[in-house]
Amino acid sequence: MKPVFHALAGTTAMLIIASFWTSTLVSELFMDHAAVAAVKLGIVYGLILLVPCLAATGGSGFVLGKSRKERLLDQKKKRMRIIAANGLLVMIPSALFLNYKAAAGEFDVSFYAVQLVELVVGAVQITLMGMNFRDGLRLATGHRPSIG
């Protein structure tokens, strides 16, 4: 049951982050400031689901990997540290800042600078989580990555 829980929590977290990223990009490129503000508010509310999913993914991954010693597992752990640091130090503060600025109608240079950082780091998060997803499948099925 633990591997299924881990996979479900990780997949849900990755999909939430991807939906945040896509919603941000679409609203910024094709919608008005009111829509951008609504997306920013939705992202803040979405953190209520995202944060527990990420914690569950990390916790269950720790439990699953406790007795295993594999290179893929070490890589997943390293990426997870980066994912956690990016989330705590960049993504959550950015989401709160952008929501505050958007709600106040302050679409200024600081808003767009932080928005750009959030989009770049969000793309990094999705990429790292995708790599962890891939390696998790390899660990679960016993397939070894090809070299090259």
Side-chain angles (χ1 to χ4, degrees):
M1 186 61 169
K2 290 176 192 168
V4 172
F5 177 77
H6 178 72
L8 183 60
T11 301
T12 302
M14 190 166 61
L15 290 172
I16 291 169
I17 292 171
S19 71
F20 288 177
W21 195 90
T22 303
S23 299
T24 292
L25 194 62
V26 169
S27 69
E28 288 290 352
L29 293 176
F30 303 111
M31 298 180 179
D32 62 10
H33 285 155
V36 172
V39 166
K40 296 299 157 199
L41 180 61
I43 288 171
V44 169
Y45 280 117
L47 292 173
I48 295 167
L49 179 60
L50 177 60
V51 170
C53 283
L54 287 171
T57 303
S60 60
F62 178 78
V63 169
L64 287 169
K66 196 172 7 178
S67 63
R68 295 177 72 166
K69 301 286 183 214
E70 291 152 280
R71 185 176 60 86
L72 282 178
L73 190 59
D74 290 339
Q75 291 173 339
K76 282 184 61 137
K77 287 178 183 178
K78 287 177 186 174
R79 285 191 292 261
M80 200 61 204
R81 287 185 198 109
I82 296 167
I83 291 165
N86 283 346
L88 291 172
L89 301 174
V90 179
M91 300 303 289
I92 291 174
S94 294
L96 297 172
F97 174 81
L98 292 169
N99 179 58
Y100 172 80
K101 294 287 273 186
E106 296 177 14
F107 296 93
D108 55 12
V109 172
S110 64
F111 177 89
Y112 288 108
V114 172
Q115 182 64 84
L116 179 61
V117 169
E118 185 186 51
L119 285 168
V120 169
V121 174
V124 169
Q125 295 290 81
I126 294 165
T127 301
L128 293 173
M129 291 180 82
M131 293 167 76
N132 273 3
F133 187 89
R134 176 202 63 207
D135 289 349
L137 289 174
R138 288 176 175 161
L139 286 166
T141 61
H143 287 97
R144 299 290 171 232
S146 59
I147 297 181

